[in-house]
Amino acid sequence: MKKQVLVAVDRGETRVAILEAEGDPPPASGNGEPEGGARRRSERGRGRGRGQAGAENGSAGGAWRPAELYVERRGHRSIVGNIYKGRVDNALPGLEAAFVDIGLEKNGFLHVDDIVMPGVEVQRRGRGGGKGQKIAQLLKPGQEILVQVVKDPLKTKGARLTMELSIAGRYLVYAPNGEGVGVSRRLEDRERDRLRKAAKNLDIGEGGAIVRTAAHGATREDLEREIRYLHKLHEILERRTEETTAPSMVFQEADLSVRVVRDIFSAQFERATVDDEGQHHRLVSFFTRTAPELVDRVELYEGDEPLLERFGVEAAVASTLNRRVDLPAGGYLIIDYAEAMTVIDVNSGSFTGRGRGARLEDTITKTNLEAADEVVRQLRLRDIGGIIVIDFIDMARARNRDDVLKVLRRALDEDRTKTYVVEISPLGLVEMTRQNVTEGVREILTKTCPVCAGEGVVLSEETVALDFERKLRELAAERPKTEAFLIQAHPAVAAALLSGPGTPPLIELEQEVGRRFHFEGSESLPIGHYEVMLEGSLSEVEERALPFRVGHEVLVTIEEPHMYDEDDAVAKIDGYIVSVAGAGRLLGEQRLVRIERIGRTSADASLVGADGAEREPRDEKDEDRAARRGRRRGGRGSRSHADAVSEGAD
């Protein structure tokens, strides 16, 4: 699997995309210059450009496609990896945890398992048979400690903290409180043995170190250069810790682009392409200090087309907001988010198998195999963490279930985030967990809907109208001397009160309570909005409620065809409907109209000619159209959308 990194920098945010493709790297162009757009490498690597067409269309085995997306906005960058000098706010024996003030809006959470103190044995959960000191003995309110963030604040929770500090480099992670040298288990056994020998007797000073997966192919000289660099960073950390008072940050993790490239850039990666000179210089400087042999793989993009659009990443970013994800053969996924878990449902969709001999089991298995690969891609693209339940289509054969699980596990091998997968249950469900460290692209790009508050549904117009009936009845009982009321509401709710089979609900209510109710409002109002704007005599309320008077000339935009007559059209002014006779051919145009009749929620109007001559609204043809509309609506011969009942009530 070949990979490359794209870094796009805007005024307010930085976006990083990791692309993947099967096969060999794209071929170099004949003249040594990139094709399809100006592109410049660093000074060290000029003249070694590969073909741009190859980068876009993919390597010999397939096209490049986005595999991971990261977004960081100015003023809202991730704090994972930052080290703080904090002050213990309180220690809770019941939770075996402490809340630590690190200078943020919410206190950080420090569990007893994450406490590291030289020479002190800690009573950890399920370990050591209860030996060691408890949280209340280790930490006291007001005590100053050094902690590192391992998980960003998410939703209502504060940052997750640890006292087991680490400083990450290109090939090594230096742990000041650790001991010995370990090697990443994600490496092959042969490479692990080679790196273990290369790191033997490495001068790591006080503390320990871990050789990272990215150290594949690194030499002892690389490791020695890296440990010296990490020791310098640790010296700076110690000096700042002594000079500052809690709560304050004493060490800041690298920004998004450096962090991603540092953690993943290896022999698998073709290049890192950056569209910003400052960010390009930052990456070149980092690799010059830590891995000079990789400097020539950092390129500065200078094409006219935006970098992420050129490689199809913008479409991938937009897709992370979709609930439905289509599969190649016609099936699809439905991804639903809950507070503590994400549920992914697999559906066969339009895929019914191939050929006359297609069997149900084969059709289901093929859909599930495609879904297993796409599920992992969506987990990585969206950076979904926590508990994940995948509802595959039920398969009768155990062999097919095993094949689907193998595809899922193989796809997860490319995921750098820690995962744990349980076997497929008899119901076809796969339960898994994925480490949740930072907010995903979806959470960064969106916010909770102010109307539905994240529920995804709102009350229907009919439901709100029934509730309004009760409120209006109570309003009339509370103020028996008031003749009329003006209510601000959504136009669809007002229309629901003024329509329906038989006598409309509002007319029945007015006859029952002996009051009159008028409405005003626009479609931008929440569906459940209700507010009494005016109360008084009928003439006072109508003066404000009705926006026009008969004979007024108004400039309107003809917005949509009339629902009963193709010759007419409709204009809307703050939710108030104006039916314009003879305007069916003028959709999208602005025209001067004369108001002929006024209702509660709508009015009838006629066009005023360019020469100022008024179009006669009541000729024989108009009367025929009105009669036709009345027959279509069940005999209520009103000229407007919602005023079949208004004439009887006015």
Side-chain angles (χ1 to χ4, degrees):
M1 183 75 71
K2 294 297 178 181
K3 304 182 182 184
Q4 63 173 309
V5 180
L6 306 179
V7 180
V9 181
D10 294 322
R11 180 186 59 82
E13 72 177 8
T14 299
R15 290 176 291 175
V16 177
I18 300 176
L19 308 185
E20 293 180 348
E22 297 283 354
D24 298 326
S29 58
N31 58 8
E33 291 295 328
E35 302 169 6
R39 183 181 291 265
R40 188 175 77 247
R41 288 180 180 263
S42 64
E43 294 295 331
R44 181 183 295 269
R46 272 189 199 172
R48 304 181 189 175
R50 293 182 175 87
Q52 177 64 25
E56 290 183 47
N57 299 327
S59 52
W64 292 105
R65 69 173 188 172
E68 297 179 27
L69 300 171
Y70 302 95
V71 178
E72 187 170 83
R73 293 190 169 162
R74 185 172 299 173
H76 299 280
R77 60 180 293 180
S78 171
I79 63 172
V80 172
N82 289 1
I83 299 177
Y84 294 85
K85 187 176 183 180
R87 182 181 292 111
V88 177
D89 189 32
N90 54 2
L92 305 178
L95 295 177
E96 284 298 320
F99 289 94
V100 183
D101 180 9
I102 57 175
L104 302 181
E105 181 180 354
K106 295 179 181 177
N107 288 343
F109 179 84
L110 176 65
H111 193 268
V112 67
D113 286 353
D114 298 311
I115 295 177
V116 176
M117 292 183 173
V120 177
E121 186 177 0
V122 179
Q123 185 179 122
R124 305 189 187 280
R125 198 169 30 177
R127 305 173 190 172
K131 298 179 181 179
Q133 299 185 34
K134 295 185 177 182
I135 187 80
Q137 298 170 305
L138 296 168
L139 300 177
K140 306 295 182 183
Q143 181 178 344
E144 294 186 354
I145 57 176
L146 210 58
V147 292
Q148 187 169 29
V149 177
V150 295
K151 186 175 180 180
D152 276 327
L154 299 175
K155 297 180 180 178
T156 60
K157 299 178 180 179
R160 181 71 183 261
L161 307 176
T162 181
M163 293 179 65
E164 192 168 355
L165 308 182
S166 62
I167 303 175
R170 176 75 182 84
Y171 302 124
L172 299 170
V173 175
Y174 176 60
N177 298 326
E179 57 182 23
V181 178
V183 181
S184 170
R185 295 182 180 178
R186 298 186 64 131
L187 292 165
E188 298 177 355
D189 291 341
R190 181 178 300 178
E191 181 64 14
R192 288 187 69 199
D193 292 339
R194 189 192 69 82
L195 287 172
R196 190 177 287 111
K197 292 177 181 178
K200 189 176 181 180
N201 299 323
L202 191 66
D203 183 16
I204 59 174
E206 297 181 359
I210 299 174
V211 182
R212 310 185 67 178
T213 307
H216 188 286
T219 64
R220 181 176 177 83
E221 290 72 20
D222 294 329
L223 301 181
E224 289 176 344
R225 180 178 63 245
E226 178 108 317
I227 197 65
R228 288 195 296 269
Y229 170 67
L230 295 178
H231 281 162
K232 291 180 181 178
L233 293 180
H234 183 237
E235 291 172 4
I236 296 173
L237 168 63
E238 289 182 320
R239 186 170 63 252
R240 290 179 178 172
T241 302
E242 294 175 358
E243 296 173 351
T244 59
T245 57
S248 61
M249 181 175 64
V250 293
F251 177 84
Q252 186 173 32
E253 177 64 293
D255 61 14
L256 177 64
S257 61
V258 174
R259 189 167 66 247
V260 172
V261 173
R262 177 198 68 195
D263 292 348
I264 66 177
F265 218 56
S266 63
Q268 284 184 310
F269 281 82
E270 290 301 306
R271 62 178 64 83
T273 307
V274 191
D275 68 357
D276 178 75
E277 289 189 6
Q279 201 70 269
H280 174 263
H281 176 72
R282 193 172 292 117
L283 289 177
V284 169
S285 299
F286 172 75
F287 280 124
T288 300
R289 294 193 306 270
T290 60
E293 71 279 3
L294 298 179
V295 170
D296 65 338
R297 299 192 192 182
V298 182
E299 301 177 346
L300 178 64
Y301 178 79
E302 294 179 327
D304 295 332
E305 186 178 5
L307 176 62
L308 298 188
E309 288 186 13
R310 191 181 194 104
F311 286 85
V313 177
E314 291 288 5
V317 173
S319 73
T320 61
L321 306 180
N322 296 336
R323 182 169 175 257
R324 171 171 170 157
V325 179
D326 292 324
L327 300 175
Y332 61 92
L333 309 177
I334 295 294
I335 303 176
D336 285 319
Y337 300 88
E339 179 69 22
M341 70 170 62
T342 301
V343 180
I344 303 177
D345 184 34
V346 181
N347 299 276
S348 59
S350 61
F351 181 60
T352 57
R354 294 178 179 174
R356 293 185 177 180
R359 296 180 301 176
L360 175 61
E361 181 74 6
D362 295 339
T363 302
I364 290 173
T365 302
K366 179 173 176 55
T367 302
N368 284 340
L369 289 172
E370 288 185 351
D373 184 67
E374 185 62 30
V375 162
V376 176
R377 179 170 180 263
Q378 292 299 321
L379 295 181
R380 296 173 65 194
L381 273 177
R382 303 175 185 227
D383 199 15
I384 297 174
I387 301 172
I388 301 162
V389 176
I390 309 168
D391 183 11
F392 287 104
I393 306 173
D394 292 343
M395 294 169 286
R397 296 182 179 179
R399 183 180 63 184
N400 293 335
R401 293 196 293 269
D402 291 341
D403 290 342
V404 170
L405 197 59
K406 287 179 182 177
V407 171
L408 183 69
R409 293 185 187 277
R410 186 167 61 247
L412 285 172
D413 287 341
E414 296 295 329
D415 189 4
R416 298 180 299 114
T417 303
K418 294 180 182 178
T419 57
Y420 175 74
V421 181
V422 182
E423 300 291 330
I424 296 182
S425 73
L427 297 178
L429 301 178
V430 170
E431 300 172 14
M432 62 174 291
T433 60
R434 188 171 186 269
Q435 188 177 24
N436 196 355
V437 176
T438 62
E439 290 185 317
V441 176
R442 175 177 175 268
E443 285 71 25
I444 294 175
L445 297 182
T446 63
K447 69 174 185 178
T448 302
C449 173
V451 177
C452 73
E455 295 295 328
V457 294
V458 295
L459 296 175
S460 67
E461 293 86 350
E462 182 180 8
T463 302
V464 178
L466 290 171
D467 182 54
F468 275 22
E469 283 187 61
R470 292 187 284 270
K471 290 182 178 180
L472 295 178
R473 186 177 285 105
E474 293 173 0
L475 181 64
E478 292 173 358
R479 303 170 190 180
K481 296 183 180 181
T482 303
E483 185 179 4
F485 300 90
L486 176 61
I487 310 297
Q488 188 179 63
H490 193 284
V493 177
L497 287 167
L498 283 164
S499 61
T503 305
L506 186 65
I507 304 306
E508 290 185 345
L509 177 63
E510 289 180 336
Q511 293 172 351
E512 175 187 339
V513 301
R515 307 288 190 279
R516 292 291 295 276
F517 302 98
H518 282 272
F519 295 90
E520 70 173 12
S522 66
E523 295 181 354
S524 62
L525 289 173
I527 194 69
H529 181 80
Y530 171 89
E531 185 176 357
V532 179
M533 304 300 294
L534 182 65
E535 55 183 280
S537 66
L538 180 60
S539 60
E540 291 174 339
V541 172
E542 286 186 341
E543 178 70 24
R544 173 169 170 180
L546 302 179
F548 313 115
R549 292 293 177 266
V550 174
H552 281 186
E553 293 184 356
V554 184
L555 183 66
V556 299
T557 300
I558 309 300
E559 296 186 12
E560 59 187 59
H562 198 285
M563 68 172 63
Y564 302 118
D565 199 311
E566 62 183 13
D567 293 332
D568 296 353
V570 170
K572 295 180 181 179
I573 302 177
D574 288 336
Y576 192 86
I577 298 172
V578 179
S579 299
V580 184
R585 66 188 186 281
L586 304 175
L587 293 179
E589 298 183 15
Q590 279 193 336
R591 287 302 173 98
L592 189 67
V593 300
R594 179 181 290 271
I595 304 300
E596 301 295 340
R597 194 188 66 81
I598 293 289
R600 297 196 198 194
T601 60
S602 66
D604 289 332
S606 59
L607 292 168
V608 175
D611 57 356
E614 179 185 343
R615 181 184 182 277
E616 291 295 333
R618 293 297 178 186
D619 57 19
E620 183 177 351
K621 184 177 180 181
D622 287 340
E623 296 296 342
D624 290 341
R625 283 202 302 270
R628 287 200 304 273
R629 286 198 298 269
R631 288 194 295 271
R632 291 170 187 166
R633 301 179 66 183
R636 301 194 304 270
S638 171
R639 289 182 49 80
S640 61
H641 279 282
D643 280 321
V645 298
S646 295
E647 292 177 351
D650 287 346

